[in-house]
């Protein structure tokens, strides 16, 4: 059988404030490409072209223009931040091309030019808000990077806190990469919230978690137990960069490297010798790995890499991913996935505390969350 050559673009930053996460995403995509190309029975052979936006919004736009217009590619795996995704989307719409977006995100978007292989809000912030309010209390502090990811997640959590009769003690935003955070940390420790929700990304997040741990300890507070820091983005790629304060943080995700399954053991066996220097595999890496496999399967199903043909072929497509079975929702091109809550460890991994028993419908606009359990599903179940 003759294999179909499939040329794709990779649009991941290899420098900048959030390079650790973005490089893990790139590694996940490359791992899938190498796995597919090494399989002589695979129906496609993937030829990647890379552009490094260097963590700059203008770099993403120029990179997308290079891949879509100069190289005439129809499919690109890439972007980490929602701001970069929104900046490049008009180019994909103009070029009749598909962005395969491998990142958890804040929702409130659907596009016929994007396949979303990362978690939607019904799969990360909703499960996390339930976990925090049930187990820690209803007084929260929210701090984030100043862009749409933080704004929307904080809005959702604020609504949940208010509905539970609680209070938001404070809410502050900082430019991506900002590390002058001592004043806000002092204020948080003085306020003694039940939990801190952080949507800081990259270097800002690492510095904040270190400062929070040190300031809480100086105030006699056992921060992981009495004032836990929770996130919908903290991953294995970042824990080695946090240092002594890496343990005890909560993260809501659909994938952790400690998932026990044959698919995840295979993924880890491929990852460790090739990209182990980047840390243990993370949700971001796994989402990029899933995106490449979904794209390859959609092209094989369509018999073409044409934009419209692949877009129709990917609807309802399934893949037995390291996290479990992933299914592309035929209506909104997001994926059905299982939410999980993890707590970080000193060895750069997470203990999985709770997980949803079944895959949850992707609900980017949160229109089904308050309906009956048979629409959204039961709460997370305790693991340990």
């Amino acid at each position: 059988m003759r294999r179909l050559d499939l040329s794709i673009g990779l649009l991941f930053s290899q420098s900048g404030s959030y390079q650790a996460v973005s490089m893990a995403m790139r590694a996940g995509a490359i791992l899938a490409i190498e796995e597919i190309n090494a399989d002589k029975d695979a129906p496609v052979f993937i030829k990647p072209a890379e552009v490094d936006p260097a963590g700059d919004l203008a770099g993403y736009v120029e990179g997308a223009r290079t891949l879509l217009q100069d190289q005439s590619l129809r499919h690109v795996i890439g972007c980490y931040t929602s701001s970069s995704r929104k900046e490049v989307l008009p180019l994909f719409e103009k070029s009749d091309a598909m962005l395969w977006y491998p990142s958890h995100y804040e929702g409130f978007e659907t596009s016929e030019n994007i396949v979303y292989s990362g978690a939607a809000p019904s799969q990360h912030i909703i499960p996390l808000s339930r976990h925090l309010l049930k187990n820690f209390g209803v007084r929260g502090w929210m701090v984030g990077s100043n862009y749409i990811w933080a704004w929307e997640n904080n809005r959702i959590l604020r609504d949940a806190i208010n509905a539970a009769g609680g209070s938001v003690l404070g809410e502050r935003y900082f430019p991506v990469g900002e590390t002058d955070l001592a004043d806000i940390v002092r204020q948080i420790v003085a306020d003694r919230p039940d939990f801190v929700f952080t949507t800081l990304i990259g270097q800002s997040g690492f510095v904040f978690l270190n400062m929070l741990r040190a300031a809480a300890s100086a105030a006699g507070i056992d921060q992981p137990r009495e004032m836990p820091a929770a996130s919908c983005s903290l991953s294995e790629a970042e824990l080695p960069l946090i240092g002594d304060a890496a343990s005890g943080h909560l993260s809501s995700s659909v994938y952790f490297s400690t998932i026990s399954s044959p698919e995840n053991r295979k993924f880890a066996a491929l990852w460790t010798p090739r990209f182990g220097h980047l840390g243990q595999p993370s949700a971001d890496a796994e989402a990029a790995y899933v995106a490449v496999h979904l794209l390859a399967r959609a092209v094989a199903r369509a018999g073409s890499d044409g934009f419209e043909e692949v877009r129709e072929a990917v609807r309802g497509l399934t893949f037995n991913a390291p996290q479990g079975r992933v299914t592309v929702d035929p209506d909104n091109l997001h994926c059905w996935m299982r939410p999980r809550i993890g707590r970080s460890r000193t060895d750069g991994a997470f203990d999985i505390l709770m997980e949803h028993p079944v895959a949850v419908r992707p609900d980017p606009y949160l229109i089904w969350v308050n309906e009956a359990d048979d629409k959204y599903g039961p709460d997370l179940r305790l693991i340990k």
Side-chain angles (χ1 to χ4, degrees):
M1 178 182 69
R2 183 180 180 278
R3 302 174 73 177
L4 176 66
D5 286 338
L6 173 61
S7 295
I8 69 171
L10 299 181
L11 190 62
F12 295 113
S13 292
Q14 298 179 53
S15 59
S17 175
Y18 51 83
Q19 67 177 22
V21 174
S22 194
M23 288 180 68
M25 297 170 83
R26 174 184 176 270
I30 290 174
L31 205 65
I33 291 169
E34 292 177 348
E35 183 181 21
I36 292 167
N37 288 349
D39 182 1
K40 294 182 179 179
D41 294 325
V44 300
F45 186 89
I46 302 175
K47 299 178 178 180
E50 289 196 68
V51 175
D52 176 9
D56 181 65
L57 284 181
Y60 281 96
V61 174
E62 288 305 310
R65 185 174 289 115
T66 295
L67 294 170
L68 298 177
Q69 297 179 2
D70 297 346
Q71 300 191 35
S72 301
L73 299 180
R74 294 185 174 118
H75 302 278
V76 175
I77 316 285
C79 296
Y80 170 57
T81 65
S82 289
S83 50
S84 62
R85 183 190 74 250
K86 288 184 177 295
E87 285 289 317
V88 304
L89 179 55
L91 291 171
F92 283 83
E93 293 171 338
K94 182 178 179 180
S95 301
D96 284 337
M98 185 73 78
L99 173 64
W100 300 73
Y101 181 59
S103 179
H104 45 264
Y105 88 118
E106 70 288 338
F108 302 96
E109 174 185 289
T110 54
S111 171
E112 290 292 283
N113 291 81
I114 302 178
V115 174
Y116 305 79
S117 64
S122 59
Q123 299 157 334
H124 58 74
I125 183 61
I126 294 299
L128 181 61
S129 65
R130 290 174 174 172
H131 180 74
L132 292 173
L133 296 173
K134 179 180 179 180
N135 294 282
F136 295 99
V138 295
R139 299 166 61 255
W141 233 104
M142 301 188 289
V143 57
S145 295
N146 193 22
Y147 76 109
I148 191 171
W149 161 253
W151 306 335
E152 291 295 343
N153 277 300
N154 285 344
R155 180 179 64 81
I156 295 167
L157 180 57
R158 190 186 318 118
D159 288 347
I161 290 173
N162 291 337
S167 58
V168 176
L169 303 184
E171 183 174 349
R172 286 287 303 278
Y173 299 93
F174 297 89
V176 173
E178 179 62 70
T179 57
D180 184 7
L181 304 170
D183 288 345
I184 200 66
V185 167
R186 280 194 291 269
Q187 185 62 56
I188 292 171
V189 171
D191 288 344
R192 294 288 296 264
D194 296 323
F195 60 86
V196 179
F197 179 57
T198 171
T199 45
L200 293 164
I201 66 168
Q203 191 66 26
S204 302
F206 311 151
V207 171
F208 173 77
L209 291 174
N210 270 290
M211 286 185 172
L212 181 66
R213 180 66 56 85
S217 179
I221 300 171
D222 184 347
Q223 183 261 312
R225 294 186 62 187
E226 300 175 48
M227 196 171 64
S231 169
C232 292
S233 59
L234 185 64
S235 72
E236 291 87 346
E238 300 167 294
L239 293 181
L241 303 176
I242 301 175
D244 293 340
S247 64
H249 307 300
L250 301 175
S251 185
S252 181
S253 183
V254 294
Y255 173 84
F256 292 108
S257 63
T258 46
I259 290 172
S260 179
S261 70
E263 291 81 10
N264 193 41
R265 286 190 286 273
K266 175 185 175 184
F267 183 51
L270 293 171
W271 175 273
T272 301
R274 187 73 168 85
F275 295 112
H277 61 283
L278 299 177
Q280 299 193 44
S282 64
D284 311 285
E286 197 253 4
Y289 175 85
V290 169
V292 173
H293 274 284
L294 288 174
L295 170 56
R297 290 178 176 222
V299 169
R301 176 186 277 187
S304 162
D305 69 347
F307 163 65
E308 292 185 356
E309 294 88 343
V310 172
R311 182 180 62 191
E312 296 312 305
V314 79
R315 299 184 193 275
L317 199 63
T318 64
F319 174 59
N320 289 327
Q323 65 175 271
R325 173 163 288 198
V326 168
T327 303
V328 179
D329 189 90
D331 296 325
N332 60 35
L333 299 181
H334 293 63
C335 293
W336 289 66
M337 294 182 285
R338 290 176 66 185
R340 296 174 169 93
I341 303 290
R343 183 172 56 214
S344 61
R345 308 189 314 213
T346 56
D347 64 353
F350 287 83
D351 287 322
I352 300 175
L353 305 179
M354 303 183 116
E355 67 179 8
H356 206 280
V358 296
V360 166
R361 183 180 189 178
D363 186 1
Y365 294 96
L366 297 180
I367 58 177
W368 302 302
V369 166
N370 293 320
E371 295 185 8
D373 276 352
D374 63 347
K375 291 289 187 67
Y376 179 68
D379 287 335
L380 296 169
R381 62 184 175 89
L382 183 66
I383 299 297
K384 64 179 297 181

